[in-house]
Amino acid sequence: MILLDKPHVSKFLEETILKNNYPTLASTPVSDLNLLNEIKFIGSEDASKALNAEKFPLVYTNSENSIDWIEKNLENTNLPDIINLFKDKVRFRRSIQQLYPDYFFQEVKINDLKNLDVSSIPFPIILKPAVGFFSMGVYKILSADDWRQKVSSIESEIEHVKHLYPLSVLNTGSFIIEKYIDGEEFAFDAYFNELGEPVVLNIFHHLFSHSEDVGDRVYLSSPQIINEKLEPFTNFLNELSKFSELKNFPLHVEVRVTEDNKIFPIEINPMRFGGWCTTADSTYFSYDINSIEYFFEQKKPDWDKVLVGKENKLYTIIVLDNSTGYKPQQIKSFDYDILLSKFNKILEFRKMDIIKTNVFGFIFCETDKSNFEEIEQILKSDLREYIEI
């Protein structure tokens, strides 16, 4: 079954539902979903009855906003507990602590941030909401002085974004302080099948413009990335499954990989692939793999065949987050035409309402390796050249 909720349902997801006639529940009013196609929805009571009949039902959602419905209606399944394990970053860190005995983390309430004694904290660290999403409220902090400066700006940022998501998705009442891991960051979609075996469906290198960047601007996939990371990331998921019984379970994983190839989890996002219908859609645009169908049909990509002929291609998801330094209400317009003209081959473009989402849009691209400059340019841009105040 598929659960649909805000903030965004892509046309690709709609077409996937219709093509396969997947049972679908709207965990928010259908009128809020802005659907292009006529999807027949199952009622909440019928959905609850059908899914509670199984311990590990096959459920996929486009948005973690659906977690509220799952927690209230699927108490007879293992889903609420597994979701909580991954969404609560403090609980998750404690559960896997034996794998990372020297990894520092600490929970702190938002009201205690300003007065916290940081003399024993091993800087640099990452500070983020204990339950969070989309790099909101995430800060890299280098020192005690930097701590004081960053904490003073947290409250204003949180006040702006906290209304966008329910508490089960973004809860800014409690934060987690974590040791910063120096390494390359990756994100990937995967699922555990009915036997508890992990299946990786794509892999993206999360690129940053500078050492203190914690944004979501560019995610890059390529045959080289998949070939290099497929085995170690599959092994990582096998280790993860030792701490909870995972079956018929989709997830979006973010990790850092150090120079000595040690894999550190940043966060595990349950019940979905990349948020805002990004990574699953990109996997289809790039590799002709429909990740949602692969999950429901328990299929595994044949990467040796899939990647043939794509050796010199790069595939990117570009998140046009608001890096302008201006509040959304101050921005009069955004020149999408000029921005889009910077890219050689656009696979998909999605315009968003900056006021409602704090994002201008999403671009999915195919780029020749020889033309990496177009990716580097958007990675470093603050987008001010495209706006009118």
Side-chain angles (χ1 to χ4, degrees), residues 2 11-24 35-40 293:
I2 291 182
K11 183 179 179 181
F12 172 75
L13 176 53
E14 289 185 66
E15 291 174 345
T16 296
I17 292 171
L18 292 170
K19 172 189 171 185
N20 295 279
N21 198 28
Y22 289 137
T24 304
L35 301 178
L36 299 175
N37 295 304
E38 188 64 34
I39 296 175
K40 295 180 181 178
E293 292 179 353

Side-chain angles (χ1 to χ4, degrees), residues 185-192 198-206 219 225-226 229-230 232-238 240 250-257 263-265 267-269 272-274 279-280 283:
E185 187 167 314
F186 294 86
F188 61 96
D189 294 336
Y191 74 90
F192 287 87
V199 177
V200 175
L201 295 167
N202 60 33
I203 303 172
F204 296 86
H205 187 185
H206 186 181
Y219 290 85
I225 291 170
I226 291 172
K229 301 303 180 184
L230 181 61
F233 287 173
T234 301
N235 292 338
F236 166 77
L237 291 177
N238 276 314
L240 190 69
L251 63 172
H252 178 72
V253 184
E254 298 176 15
V255 299
R256 273 191 177 261
V257 182
I263 299 173
F264 286 84
E267 61 184 40
I268 312 293
N269 300 285
R272 64 170 174 87
F273 300 137
T279 54
T283 303

Side-chain angles (χ1 to χ4, degrees), residues 1 3 24-27 41-53 69 72-75:
M1 186 173 297
L3 308 186
T24 304
L25 168 76
S27 51
F41 289 96
I42 189 172
S44 179
E45 186 175 341
D46 289 338
S48 176
K49 183 178 179 180
L51 295 175
N52 274 307
W69 186 90
K72 294 173 182 177
N73 293 278
L74 301 186
E75 65 277 2

Side-chain angles (χ1 to χ4, degrees), residues 294-322:
Y294 271 56
F295 167 59
F296 283 119
E297 296 171 21
Q298 306 274 287
K299 292 165 59 177
K300 184 176 181 179
D302 185 344
W303 290 110
D304 289 338
K305 292 183 178 180
V306 168
L307 301 178
V308 171
K310 299 180 179 292
E311 293 81 4
N312 294 315
K313 301 297 183 182
L314 305 174
Y315 297 97
T316 52
I317 300 170
I318 297 167
V319 183
L320 301 174
D321 55 322
N322 186 11

Side-chain angles (χ1 to χ4, degrees), residues 131-249:
V131 177
F133 174 65
F134 209 47
S135 295
M136 292 181 177
V138 178
Y139 291 84
K140 180 180 179 182
I141 302 180
L142 304 177
S143 64
D145 288 339
D146 193 27
W147 170 275
R148 285 185 283 272
Q149 294 177 15
K150 296 282 176 62
V151 165
S152 65
S153 64
I154 284 178
E155 290 183 353
S156 61
E157 178 186 352
I158 292 304
E159 188 64 29
H160 178 68
V161 301
K162 68 181 183 181
H163 70 282
L164 297 176
Y165 303 96
L167 291 177
S168 58
V169 177
L170 178 67
N171 188 342
T172 56
S174 181
F175 280 71
I176 183 171
I177 302 168
E178 297 182 321
K179 178 182 178 181
Y180 174 76
I181 301 299
D182 191 14
E184 297 296 314
E185 187 167 314
F186 294 86
F188 61 96
D189 294 336
Y191 74 90
F192 287 87
N193 64 22
E194 61 185 359
L195 301 177
E197 301 167 337
V199 177
V200 175
L201 295 167
N202 60 33
I203 303 172
F204 296 86
H205 187 185
H206 186 181
L207 303 183
F208 295 100
S209 59
H210 54 80
S211 61
E212 291 189 52
D213 184 11
V214 293
D216 289 309
R217 175 61 54 80
V218 174
Y219 290 85
L220 171 69
S221 181
S222 71
Q224 180 180 350
I225 291 170
I226 291 172
N227 285 326
E228 288 180 357
K229 301 303 180 184
L230 181 61
E231 183 177 357
F233 287 173
T234 301
N235 292 338
F236 166 77
L237 291 177
N238 276 314
E239 289 295 314
L240 190 69
S241 67
K242 296 178 181 178
F243 301 96
S244 183
E245 191 174 9
L246 300 171
K247 294 180 180 180
N248 292 338
F249 198 84

